[in-house]
Amino acid sequence: MPESTPAKRIIVAISGASGAVYGVRLLQLLSVLPGVQTHLTVSEAGWLNLQQELDLTRADVEALADVSYPVHNVGAAIASGSFQCDGMVVAPCSMRTLAAVALGLSDNLITRAADVMLKERRRLILMVRETPLNLAHLRNMTSVTEMGGIIFPPVPGFYHRPQTIDEMVDHTVSRVVDLLGLPQTDAPRWTGLR
């Protein structure tokens, strides 16, 4: 009997920008949603940031995903348009990764999978992390947007009065989960001014 496809497959990529916590928290949130299967790839600089910023090892992070692929394995399942999936998030997305996606440079598994998402007209969300932005960054963001990608800088909102960094991260990542079209019952929601 053929293996059944999960209700939702989501690719999570972690590149070398600061903000590795966003990718980790996204994997944690997705892991508790029923019917969601996560596929992970991490750049070399991403692994460095995971260790530097969060003291996490490769095994710690890979344990959060259902399937994990080395970033140089451009022959992995997620590198093909025939791999059925519902979305991809690069969290965080470095300016190098953004530039490669904007130019269609499929030079590693992150950029190849992102290219597949765009060519197949599937949801691609880039949590770009840099400030201030130069003109090349802005043009690359425009290019990806024109191709159908979503540029989602992890800029915290303060209207819900977060008390901790974790609350700010959770609010941002919950917004990304919303963009993926996945249900979540305990996400903070705006209910209007008090």
Side-chain angles (χ1 to χ4, degrees), residues 17 90 92-95 98 125-130 133 141 151-155:
V90 183
C93 181
S94 68
M95 291 299 110
L98 168 68
I125 302 167
L126 304 182
M127 294 183 75
V128 294
R129 251 288 308 127
E130 186 62 83
L133 300 167
M141 288 182 206
I151 302 299
F152 189 106
V155 178

Side-chain angles (χ1 to χ4, degrees), residues 6 9 12 25 45 50 59 67-68 90 92-94 98 101 103 108 114 136:
R9 281 180 170 166
V12 176
R25 189 64 185 127
L50 284 159
V67 185
S68 182
V90 183
C93 181
S94 68
L98 168 68
V101 172
L103 296 173
N108 65 37

Side-chain angles (χ1 to χ4, degrees), residues 18-38:
S18 182
V21 67
Y22 293 109
V24 169
R25 189 64 185 127
L26 178 62
L27 286 167
Q28 291 169 337
L29 285 180
L30 294 175
S31 72
V32 298
L33 295 179
V36 175
Q37 183 184 74
T38 54

Side-chain angles (χ1 to χ4, degrees), residues 10-187:
I10 305 296
I11 300 168
V12 176
I14 299 174
S15 72
S18 182
V21 67
Y22 293 109
V24 169
R25 189 64 185 127
L26 178 62
L27 286 167
Q28 291 169 337
L29 285 180
L30 294 175
S31 72
V32 298
L33 295 179
V36 175
Q37 183 184 74
T38 54
H39 294 256
L40 172 69
T41 187
V42 181
S43 73
E44 297 300 328
W47 288 121
L48 291 174
N49 275 352
L50 284 159
Q51 198 285 317
Q52 172 67 31
E53 296 178 358
L54 302 172
D55 290 323
L56 293 175
T57 66
R58 186 178 297 250
D60 294 331
V61 178
E62 288 179 343
L64 298 172
D66 294 297
V67 185
S68 182
Y69 309 92
V71 75
H72 298 296
N73 182 6
V74 293
I78 62 173
S80 173
S82 67
F83 178 79
Q84 293 294 303
C85 75
D86 300 277
M88 176 177 180
V89 183
V90 183
C93 181
S94 68
M95 291 299 110
R96 183 247 175 259
T97 298
L98 168 68
V101 172
L103 296 173
L105 302 178
S106 299
D107 58 346
N108 65 37
L109 188 55
I110 294 174
T111 56
R112 172 58 189 166
D115 187 56
V116 167
M117 299 305 288
L118 293 173
K119 80 180 185 71
E120 299 292 332
R121 307 301 191 264
R122 296 178 184 149
R123 177 104 350 147
L124 172 65
I125 302 167
L126 304 182
M127 294 183 75
V128 294
R129 251 288 308 127
E130 186 62 83
T131 192
L133 300 167
N134 69 35
L135 187 56
H137 302 152
L138 295 169
R139 285 184 173 153
N140 288 334
M141 288 182 206
T142 299
S143 180
V144 170
T145 300
E146 289 171 343
M147 289 186 277
I150 297 172
I151 302 299
F152 189 106
V155 178
F158 295 97
Y159 52 85
H160 65 290
R161 297 188 179 199
Q163 300 300 303
T164 66
I165 291 174
D166 286 344
E167 286 179 9
M168 287 190 287
V169 169
D170 282 352
H171 182 258
T172 299
V173 173
S174 290
R175 300 268 330 275
V176 170
V177 173
D178 281 346
L179 283 173
L180 290 168
L182 300 173
Q184 47 183 335
T185 56
D186 48 345

